[in-house]
Amino acid sequence: MSDFWSYWIIFFTLLVLFGSCWLLIANRKTDVRGDLAEGEVPKTGHVYDGIEEYDNPLPAWWFWKFIATAIFSLIYLLLYPGLGNYPGLLGWTSTNQLEERVASANAKLDGQYSAYAQRTIDDLAGDPSALRMGRRLFNNNCSICHGVGGTGANGFPNLADADWLYGSTPEAIKHSIAFGRQGAMPAWGSILGEPGVGDMGEHLLSLSGADHNAEQAARGATQYGLFCSSCHTPAGTGMQALGAPNLSDSIWLYQQQNLTLAENIRHSIRSGRNGNMPAHYEKLRPEKIHLLTAYVYSLSQNQQ
Ligand code: HEC
Ligand code: HEC
C-alpha cells in the first residue's frame, strides 16, 4: 500500500473514531428536566401521528460502554496493525502467528516421531497408535498412486497382498519408499514379431494356470528360455533383486480395465513397462519413512 493510501486510511479511521466520540459528548444531556414539574415527562416536541418523542438522557451505562469501546479501539490500533501501514507496537502479523503455531505443532510431533524412530518395524507394526500415524502419512503421500489402504491400481502395485516386486522385508520396503524403484522391462515387439508376442502371451497364461492355446504356448516356451528366464527365472517366479514380477501367479501389475488379461500381457511383452516409484527421502523425514515402512509392512503381515 502506498503512503498516500496508508495516511488516507489512518485519517478516516481516526476521524470516525474521534468524531463519533465528539458527537456523543457534545450532545450529551444529563439534565433534561430543567424546571419541569414533578410527574411531567421531558419531550422533544416532535409528534408523529399523535405519538410524542420523549427526551430522556442516554443511560449512563450505555454512554460509558461506548467510551470504553472507543478507548479499547485506540489501544488495539496502537498494539496491532490496523492503521494503514502502521505495524503496531507488538509487531504481530498473521504470517508470524501461523509460523509460531506450525513450529509448536511440529515440536509436539517431533517428540512423537523420534520416540517411534527408536523402535523396530516389527514392534511398530503391532502398535495401533503408530499404525494410525502411518496410515495418515500413507493417505497423504501414497494413496494417490497406491490407493487408500494400499490396494493398488493398474501399474501401481497392491501393497496389501503377499506378492512383492522388490521384497516384503522391512529393509526392502524402506528402500522402496526412501530411494524409489524403477521397473525396467524391455520391449520385445521388434525381436519377437507380433506372432511371437502372441505365442509368448499364451505361454505366460499357461504359467499362471489360465486358459491358453497349448500349441502357441509351446512355441512361446522356447523363446521364453531364450529371452525372459534371465530376469523372470525359468519357472517364471520372478526376481526381486530386479523387480521382475512373478509371472506364474494370478496377480498382474498391469491390468488396464478395457483390455482382456491376454491383451494386457501382450502389451507388456510388445512395448515393455517402466513403472516408476518416486524416491521420498528428500520429501519425508527419516522418522516418517520409518512409520510408513511399519504401516506398509503391517498391511502385508495381515495377509500372511
Ligand atoms: C507417483 C506414484 C507413486 C507414489 C506417490 C508412490 N508410489 Fe510406491 N510405487 C509406485 C509404482 C509405479 C511402483 C512400482 C514400481 C515398479 O513398477 O517397479 C511402486 C512401488 C512401491 C513399493 C514396492 C512394492 C513391491 O511390490 O515391492 C512400495 C513398498 C511402495 N511403492 C510404497 C510407497 C509408499 C509408502 C508411498 C508413499 C510414501 C509411495 N509408494 C508413493 C508409484 C508410486
Ligand atoms: C531385464 C530383465 C527382464 C527381462 C529380460 C524381461 N523382463 Fe519382463 N519384466 C521385467 C521387469 C523389471 C518388469 C516389471 C516392470 C515394471 O515394474 O514396470 C517386467 C514385467 C513384465 C510383465 C508384466 C507383469 C505384470 O504383472 O503385469 C510381463 C508380462 C513380462 N515382464 C513378460 C516378459 C517376457 C515375456 C519376457 C521375455 C520376452 C520378459 N518379460 C523379459 C524385467 C524383465
Side-chain angles (χ1 to χ4, degrees), residues 4-300:
F4 171 78
W5 291 114
S6 172
Y7 287 124
W8 177 273
I9 288 171
I10 293 174
F11 175 74
F12 281 105
T13 308
L14 295 179
L15 184 74
V16 167
L17 195 61
F18 288 116
S20 49
C21 287
W22 172 80
L23 208 65
L24 183 72
I25 292 165
N27 290 300
R28 187 167 190 233
K29 299 178 197 165
T30 43
D31 179 23
V32 288
R33 297 195 60 83
D35 44 9
L36 285 174
E38 192 65 29
E40 269 188 278
V41 186
K43 293 177 187 149
T44 59
H46 302 156
V47 183
Y48 309 94
D49 292 341
I51 300 169
E52 290 175 296
E53 190 184 348
Y54 288 177
D55 188 19
N56 286 323
L58 284 171
W61 65 264
W62 193 95
F63 175 84
W64 288 113
K65 217 171 103 176
F66 191 97
I67 298 292
T69 313
I71 292 172
F72 174 85
S73 310
L74 264 184
I75 296 174
Y76 185 91
L77 288 173
L78 210 64
L79 296 179
Y80 290 97
L83 285 176
N85 287 335
Y86 170 66
L89 290 177
L90 294 182
W92 181 94
T93 67
S94 53
T95 318
N96 64 25
Q97 181 179 47
L98 178 72
E99 278 164 6
E100 271 166 33
R101 288 190 185 168
V102 168
S104 86
N106 276 346
K108 221 181 291 170
L109 278 179
D110 276 347
Q112 285 175 325
Y113 282 135
S114 55
Y116 289 131
Q118 311 298 324
R119 294 165 53 191
T120 65
I121 296 296
D122 255 326
D123 182 15
L124 291 177
D127 177 341
S129 70
L131 294 181
R132 260 199 307 279
M133 281 179 94
R135 187 190 314 125
R136 209 162 41 229
L137 286 168
F138 189 88
N139 287 342
N140 286 340
N141 296 285
C142 323
S143 59
I144 185 171
C145 290
H146 290 285
V148 174
T151 48
N154 174 35
F156 302 109
N158 184 338
L159 304 176
D161 63 9
D163 183 47
W164 292 85
L165 292 167
Y166 299 94
S168 62
T169 62
E171 294 73 29
I173 294 173
K174 192 176 248 184
H175 191 287
S176 294
I177 301 171
F179 303 108
R181 300 285 193 182
Q182 280 73 44
M185 158 75 182
W188 299 97
S190 56
I191 293 167
L192 298 174
E194 197 52 34
V197 168
D199 292 348
M200 185 67 75
E202 295 305 309
H203 174 57
L204 296 194
L205 285 172
S206 80
L207 281 183
S208 70
D211 287 344
H212 61 278
N213 176 314
E215 200 186 317
Q216 280 186 288
R219 283 200 298 269
T222 321
Q223 303 280 62
Y224 182 90
L226 220 54
F227 296 120
C228 321
S229 57
S230 56
C231 288
H232 290 283
T233 74
T237 47
M239 206 180 285
Q240 293 186 336
L242 295 171
N246 185 343
L247 303 174
S248 65
D249 60 12
S250 53
I251 298 172
W252 297 92
L253 176 59
Y254 293 97
Q255 40 179 328
Q256 202 180 312
Q257 290 293 314
N258 56 343
L259 299 182
T260 64
L261 175 58
E263 284 168 340
N264 269 307
I265 292 176
R266 285 200 295 271
H267 189 298
S268 294
I269 300 169
R270 190 185 303 117
S271 313
R273 299 286 192 184
N274 293 286
N276 179 30
M277 160 73 189
H280 283 82
Y281 70 93
E282 282 182 329
K283 200 177 149 208
L284 299 172
R285 290 181 296 147
E287 298 89 338
K288 290 187 174 176
I289 290 180
H290 196 64
L291 272 176
L292 277 165
T293 304
Y295 174 69
V296 171
Y297 183 69
S298 80
L299 290 180
S300 67

